[in-house]
Amino acid sequence: MKNNRIPFLYMACLLLVGVLMGAIPASENSGYQVGDTARDFKLKNVDGKMVSMADYKDAKGFIVTFTCNTCPYSVAYEDRLIELHNKYAPKGYPIIAINPNDVKVSPKDSYKHMQVRAKEKNFPFPYVYDETQEITKAYGATRTPHLYVVQKQQDGTFKVAYIGTIDDNSREPEKVQKKYAEAALDELVAGKPVSQPNTKAIGCTIKWREA
């Protein structure tokens, strides 16, 4: 009897794995690659206004950053995001921060909590909420924070130029040796191709809406 149960349990485990793999969001296996054209969006900012990249007529590109209120990595990078925006927004590359987390899975990432956090940190950039997670999945973000630097083309579209992390030390900013995002932005501003267009995003997994 026991021997008969072994194949059954084995098949049951395989079935469960298959179900779980099918439940993995599309963004785990798809999304933009460097060189792809990134879609615009229209998402609600903490000030109640809708924000899109098309609103910035003079922008040369954007630092689209998927981040949140709750992830320790996101919190650790908040001051560096502010510095990044203040340095590169005048050069044509402002930050648009997007919170991708589902509020039912992560209640402290609610829109109201976003408003509180943005006020506490005095964010100089928009902090918008991707309530449906449609944009997050389209871009392919999997972590918070996860950066996508996009460059505006002559036809008004946005080409992905860099995907990844901000630098090589999330915990100790004073010990950072490689500022990946800044290096990519410096090259774009100088009219050069990005020499290291991909790095690994380090952070918390995005809190996906339950199926």
Side-chain angles (χ1 to χ4, degrees), residues 10 31 43 60 81 86 111 119 134 150 195 209:
Y10 179 72
L43 298 173
K60 297 177 181 178
L81 282 176
N86 289 340
Y111 181 72
K119 186 175 182 179
E134 179 183 349
V150 300
S195 56
R209 178 178 295 183

Side-chain angles (χ1 to χ4, degrees), residues 44-129:
K44 190 176 181 180
N45 189 22
V46 289
D47 63 2
K49 299 178 181 179
M50 303 302 289
V51 170
S52 69
M53 292 190 288
D55 296 333
Y56 295 74
K57 304 301 181 184
D58 297 327
K60 297 177 181 178
F62 295 90
I63 309 166
V64 179
T65 305
F66 294 88
T67 187
C68 68
N69 303 331
T70 56
C71 173
Y73 291 92
S74 292
V75 173
Y77 272 116
E78 284 176 336
D79 289 339
R80 276 172 276 183
L81 282 176
I82 292 171
E83 292 173 2
L84 201 64
H85 175 83
N86 289 340
K87 181 175 182 178
Y88 290 99
K91 298 179 181 181
Y93 287 86
I95 283 179
I96 297 180
I98 301 176
N99 186 341
N101 285 347
D102 181 68
V103 67
K104 290 184 179 179
V105 181
S106 182
K108 290 187 178 181
D109 278 311
S110 71
Y111 181 72
K112 288 185 177 180
H113 281 91
M114 287 173 59
Q115 290 177 310
V116 171
R117 190 60 183 167
K119 186 175 182 179
E120 288 175 347
K121 296 298 296 184
N122 194 26
F123 286 154
F125 46 77
Y127 186 25
V128 302
Y129 187 38

Side-chain angles (χ1 to χ4, degrees), residues 21-33 66 100 130 132-143 146 148 163 205-209:
M21 287 182 67
I24 294 174
S27 56
E28 292 286 351
N29 300 305
S30 62
Y32 296 139
Q33 303 296 320
F66 294 88
D130 185 15
T132 67
Q133 299 185 322
E134 179 183 349
I135 301 304
T136 307
K137 291 177 181 178
Y139 275 67
T142 58
R143 303 277 174 178
H146 203 155
Y148 290 75
I163 302 174
T205 56
I206 287 173
K207 305 305 181 282
W208 299 105
R209 178 178 295 183

